[in-house]
Amino acid sequence: MSHFQPDIRHRAEELIALYPRARSAMLPLLHLAQEQDGYLSEAGIEEVASLTGTTSADVRGTAAFYDMYHLEPVGKYVVGVCTNIACLLAGGEEFLEHASQKLDCAVGSTSSDGLFTLEETECLADCDKAPCVQVNHRYVRTTTPETFDTLVDDLREGKLDHDVPSHGTLIRVRRNGGLRAARQEIVDQRARSSAARAQRAEEAK
Amino acid sequence: MAMLDSPRIVSSRAQYADSYTLTRYLETGGYVALRKALTMFPEAVAAEVDAASLLGRGGAGFPAGRKWSMLRKAPVSYLVVNGDESEPATFKDHFLVERDPHQLVEGVIIAAYALQVSQAFIYLRGEFALGLERVQQAVNDAYSEGALGSKIFGSDFSIDLVVHPGAGAYICGEETALIEGLEGKRGFPRIKPPFFPAVTGLYGEPTVVNNVETMSNLPWIVNNGGAAFAALGVGRSTGTRLFALAGRVNNPGVYEIEMVKNTFRDLIYDPALGGGVIGGRAVKAIIPGGVSAPWFGPDLLDLPMGQDEVGEKGSMLGSGSVVVLDETSCVVRAAWRITKFFSRESCGQCTPCREGSGWIERAMYRLEHGGGRMEDMDLLLDLCDNIAPGLSWPPQQTTICVLGSSIPSSVHSAISMFPDDFKAHVLHGGCPHD
Amino acid sequence: MTDVIRTTVNITVNGREIEVKAGELLIDAAERAGEYIPRFCYHPRMEPVGMCRMCLVEVEGPRGATLQPACYLHVNDGMSVCTNSEKVKKAQDGVLEFLLANHPLDCPVCDKGGECPLQDQTLAHGSGETRFIEEKRHFVKPIEIGELVLLDRERCIQCARCTRFSSEVAGDTEIAFSGRGDLIEVAPSPDKPFNSVFSGNTVQICPVGALTAKPYRFSARPWDLEQVESTCTTCAVGCRIAVQSSGNRLTRVLGVDSDPVNHGWLCDKGRFTLDSIDQNPESTDVLSAATRITTPLVRVNGVLEPASWGEALGAASAILRDASATPGGVGAIGGASLTNEGAFAWERFMRGVLGTENLDAQFGDGLDPVLLQALTKATIDEAARAKTIVTLTGDLREELPILFLRLREGAVSGTSAIVEFAFGPSALRSLARVSLVVRPGEAHLCARSITDHADAPAGVAFSNEELLEARRLIGESGEGVVFVVGRPNFAEDPRVIENAIRRFAERYPDARFLVALRRSNVAGALDMGLGSQLRPGRGYDAEAKGLDTLAQLEALRRGDQKAVVILGGCLLGNVADVKGATAALENADVIAVTGHGGATLGYANVVLPAAIAHERSGTVTNIEGRVTAVTPKIVAPGSAWPDVAIAAELAEQMGQSIGLSSVEQTAKTIEETTGYPALSVMNDEVHDGAVVGRSDASSLRHALDPMAFPGIRSAESVGLASYTGAIVEERAQGSVHTRCATLEDLANAEPLEVPLADSYSLRLVVSRRLYDRGVAMGGSPSLHNLVKPTTLGLNHVDLDRLGVEEGAIVSVTGASGSVRLPVELNEGVARGSVEIVFGTKSATGEDAVAVLYDPTSVISQVRLESR
């Protein structure tokens, strides 16, 4: 019995088929598991382990290396506030403090109503909009405490569900089909190409 | 005066709100270059890139053409595009992937054709949720157009392109760690030698790793010729480049300007570019190439922005980021926060980086927040020396990768440029700016 | 002009030019040239990772001298290296200061203190003080990551030796690095604790006290320990070990790097069952395997009473004199737990004094010793490097764990292809190139389908493609092929698998065989003649037929045999037909020579206490025929005697002499009379034992790296000769009295009547696990939780067919009755069969094998009912 629901399982299988080796699909598969469960559950990790041909300990250890994977449940909205250099210079630390108060949760934890998890992030690569904020990895351009407060209120009321979907960075990413170039076709083409190039090199002499 | 008349090589579509759509792309010359490239011999396409003298736009600045030529003996198995932009205060690849994904895709296909590679990956930072959507859509469009897949545009060349998401780790921007991530593992950089990707890369096979911006230049280069690209800029620093200006300026943003012809002063002060420092204040320091780069003082504002020019003065253009600190900025706090970044992002494999970054961060924390001592400055410099012996530029390293040798940059710069600030912190028992 | 491939290159180290092996790692080359480079993460038996940075040295390059990790560089001609410049010293100083920054000041309470590479290298290369005044990193300490291993994350220096061992050597990746940067922890999966059978190796190779072993924790300080080097006799692989004791109690066993055998690794059973050897004063029940027998016992009025040696020997000799008066009236069972010298002495006693041919070192759970003798032997190295390895065994990871590791090397590196005959679940499955699933009773038919190009039996679980692939990998003559053969299914008549083995041996004359019988010194006991038609020195006498164990038990039941001497081990704990064996013992006069108690002693008339394990000197022989020395470390408890002494005194009691007085003298006699290496092995401190009949398999010991093997004393400090390249005299090759058996000596194979499978029954597979209810486990409390209760293993196809849920309790009926067992899903079990593990008890304390096994049939069949 797969832990993945049919739609996620289908996407998982398509993903694996894109890579020469199954293990390469590890990162996107973990994103899918997180998309389904809201975080990386033990069952999700085991499923990914079996799909990528390794052990749960290995998958969990790999997931723990990366910041985007949550090994414990998180809120519906993961709010990331950057305090790295450009945001620091734009008052990022104070902004984070404000966010913590507005969301009523400590940095690195989840609000008691389970709606928000607040994270202090590293550079989000949006530095001309400093201080930078992402919610569920969507940029929300809100650079003042006031606009931040409005954002939070909107989120609470579900007004931003279109702009801020749930977790899972791949939630709206869909590829239109698998690999198209057949193995043998590639092998033949490369052989022809190398031969032709060698010949051109010869003629150039 | 800034020289602003160079062509928009990679940012030509920024003016359009729908710049990322296939319709707009085709209307503005999309896929003309690829079709042209397919009529040329692959080595002729590579020759154009060589002639352009296109330096890598990632961080290391290694000439792309030379990187490709390293592989002429052995066939390349994979092309991997590094879209893991995580260097603090760098946001120009973000701009390219969200605003002109088709240009990137076309550039990648051109590169793949030149290298005769049939499987290419674009590794995008996982936090670029929208970027992933847009690039994947551009890839889907390319397949529909016949620019990707079997025998593209009726040629003999077949290629598949896979968009691969990262998951939040700065170190995966290092090319061997990126490859590890692409292999589904922790982003532990590999030791070079022997693991130069050109020799032993993805799955142990010869791999070319190039940056998003580097790839995005290729359509223009094919359309206009490498010589036209090389005619811009000066010396080794050819063409234009995207610079991500941030910090205490009026108009932070991504600016495409000609290499070398413009100085830091132009970028920061020109009304069409940075628009000057907020409140008319004085520049205290510039971080020229991402936080891995040593700092410059205001005395170097008139330095031309070129690879060699900046290198000779002991820093680098690096990732294309320029951060401006002004007289109200606390350099100790800035250096502390940068060190904290490195400590959080260290992969943990090797002792000097893993333990050294944490120790330096702790000492800097005391200096900034209270408990700093006069002897801490010498201690910090010695710890930095144990990570990057000699504290020279370019740095030596006791570590596996260059993240280690980047740790000293901000600390060393801050202490040597602003010793009085540090002393004031010690005497004040914390930051006097608050 | 032909290219000469150079085997050596010249490099310069610290200004001195030296010649080193081409392609060698710089760190090894420098060490052998006398320039030891400090290191933490490097381990000679694993791939280097260059992570700790302790081994940085200055290497000349085109841009001047740069710091490079010596463990990662291969030497090339002209390399110029400096290991002691100021820059190198500063780098080493720096690395140590960094490592110690967050390292807790635990030395006074840390097991590793006194044998700690971090302590030692800090003393040698670090500065005297730290400048670190920050708060150190904190973790909850320590945590149990497995049943036997504790982890203190504060002490960990992230060298990855343990995680690399788990993925690279053991291959089970039960622990892995979790997290990033200085928050990296070694972690198992939360619901899958680190219970690999190899977990103890990580404790041994950890260069700090981060990983500690529960059984050893806080037991001793290294400077209290005395050490000898010996051979482990828990199974038959014969791993080399360092045995350490304090006072007269065994404290610890560490793996020694023997190149031809175990590479420094041990399994947890060999490593952590010392408690079973030390006398446990609380355990006094002689029927318990946890009890050491320390005085002779004689049954008086139905009760075993302590007696003096004189009384006991007197009682024993009376029994034996009476029994041996009738031809075939006495016999000996067992002997695989003896040393070669002990076995030799008993052989002389049984044949020489009692005049009987009824001898068998095996308990009916092995293979025909004449067949085994006739096989052309392979060494472990040869098996590990063979082009094709064919296995006809149970799960080798459970039966001979270190052999599994050795074979795994070849499979993973791609040099060897494994063709697995799969009788049940096995760790080999994921390594094998081809797995041919074989049902009980069909091994010989499957063998024939390979050798004779016959069709496979109808309905087999493997395809024709797999069969063809197997044939292709084995080839025509068997050249480059090693067959690893054992007894995969205890419930199956051994003639089935023996038939298969014989077929392969006859068909592939160039193939070699590695005999994977698991018990202790079974190879040595058979080589010393403890078997029908066998003679000491791996000899054979076609005329001398006697009764093997099962035949002796039959004869005891009938009354044709009156008495039996049980040489070590517990008979009743090791047979499948427990009822039959019990009936035999009830009817017989039993003399038990043993170190431990057990159910068998319930039927003994006389019990003679023997020295066991690390109380003995002598030699033992492993599965490849390698003879190595065992060295005593503690004195046997109470009045336990060495076997040689018991046999000699018993002979004296009967008015005869076996001409043996001491172990050393016995070893000398063995070598002089048969040419079998014994005394020469005991006296040789330069080689890794000697392989019988294979002087080409001689292997020199290499010098010890204390940083890779912390805790093991260097050769000098324990008085072993340091490596000087002493010339070893040629061993006596000749004067073997009797020849070795050949395939032609084997009797014609009788046709095997295998009952047809009916759709209501399932065939029984009885397999082994490392952790069972034997003597070693019984006396080792720290491993008790690792012994699983009996379950019934079934393939999902059969589960579905029978409509049974995983975990449900079912009633299983066999030859002697029914037993209730929970069902466990296991895809490794062949369809149409069930698997039960030998040596376990059900949740209600029953021995399922005893109930279900059918001694009258070639295979045992059972039926399931889900009510």
Side-chain angles (χ1 to χ4, degrees), chain C residues 610-626:
Chain C
I612 56 163
H614 306 304
E615 300 155 0
R616 313 175 293 186
S617 64
T619 60
V620 291
T621 307
N622 79 348
I623 56 175
E624 57 181 340
R626 179 176 303 275

Side-chain angles (χ1 to χ4, degrees), chain A residues 19 24 31 66-68 83 89 122-123 125 138 169 174-176 180-181 185 189-190 192-193 200, chain B residues 43 76 94 116 125-126 133 140 143 150 156 158 160-161 164 166-168 182 185 203 248 337 341:
Chain A
Y19 298 91
S24 283
H31 283 305
Y66 295 97
D67 295 327
M68 288 178 73
T83 56
L89 293 169
E122 298 300 332
C123 181
R138 307 281 160 177
T169 198
R174 295 290 186 279
R175 192 188 151 100
N176 62 350
R180 314 289 167 80
E185 186 185 308
Q189 170 219 302
R190 287 178 84 146
R192 278 195 302 272
S193 163
R200 288 194 291 273
Chain B
E43 61 268 34
V76 187
H94 177 197
Q116 290 290 291
R125 193 168 163 175
E133 283 176 36
N140 290 349
Y143 273 105
S150 174
D156 194 29
S158 306
D160 276 308
L161 179 49
H164 179 95
L182 196 44
K185 304 185 233 163
Y203 314 125
R248 306 296 299 167
R337 184 59 182 85
F341 162 76

Side-chain angles (χ1 to χ4, degrees), chain C residues 198 230-241 258 260-267 270 379-381 396-407 484 514-523 620-628 688 770:
Chain C
F198 303 113
S230 186
T231 304
C232 179
T233 51
T234 310
C235 82
V237 170
C239 300
R240 288 299 279 173
I241 51 178
S258 166
V261 183
N262 64 318
H263 292 184
W265 312 123
L266 294 181
C267 74
T379 61
I380 296 175
D381 276 345
L396 284 179
R397 190 170 65 184
E398 298 288 338
E399 299 196 13
L400 296 163
I402 303 300
L403 174 64
F404 170 78
L405 288 187
R406 292 298 316 274
L407 298 182
V484 183
L514 187 58
V515 177
L517 289 178
R518 47 190 284 284
R519 184 168 291 113
S520 199
N521 192 27
V522 62
V620 291
T621 307
N622 79 348
I623 56 175
E624 57 181 340
R626 179 176 303 275
V627 181
T628 54
D688 251 313
L770 189 64

Side-chain angles (χ1 to χ4, degrees), chain C residues 111-112 145-150 165 194-205 211-219 232-235 241-244 249-255 265-278 401 614 770-771 774-787:
Chain C
D111 277 357
K112 216 77 180 183
I145 54 172
E147 194 59 37
L148 298 169
V149 178
L150 293 150
F165 173 81
F194 183 37
N195 284 335
S196 163
V197 301
F198 303 113
S199 68
N201 290 297
T202 60
V203 174
Q204 182 176 340
I205 61 177
L211 290 170
T212 49
K214 246 206 245 173
Y216 175 70
R217 228 165 120 77
F218 301 134
S219 315
C232 179
T233 51
T234 310
C235 82
I241 51 178
V243 185
Q244 296 174 339
R249 287 196 73 79
L250 293 168
T251 329
R252 180 170 69 170
V253 157
L254 296 173
W265 312 123
L266 294 181
C267 74
D268 285 356
K269 191 171 174 184
R271 190 187 289 278
F272 291 131
T273 50
L274 289 183
D275 285 339
S276 66
I277 301 168
D278 281 324
H614 306 304
L770 189 64
Y771 298 133
V775 161
M777 300 294 294
S780 304
S782 49
L783 290 123
H784 280 170
N785 290 343
L786 291 165
V787 185

Side-chain angles (χ1 to χ4, degrees), chain C residues 585-610:
Chain C
L585 294 183
E586 273 172 344
N587 215 22
D589 292 329
V590 178
I591 295 160
V593 182
T594 182
H596 284 95
T600 307
L601 297 192
Y603 304 92
N605 298 61
V606 180
V607 180
L608 303 174

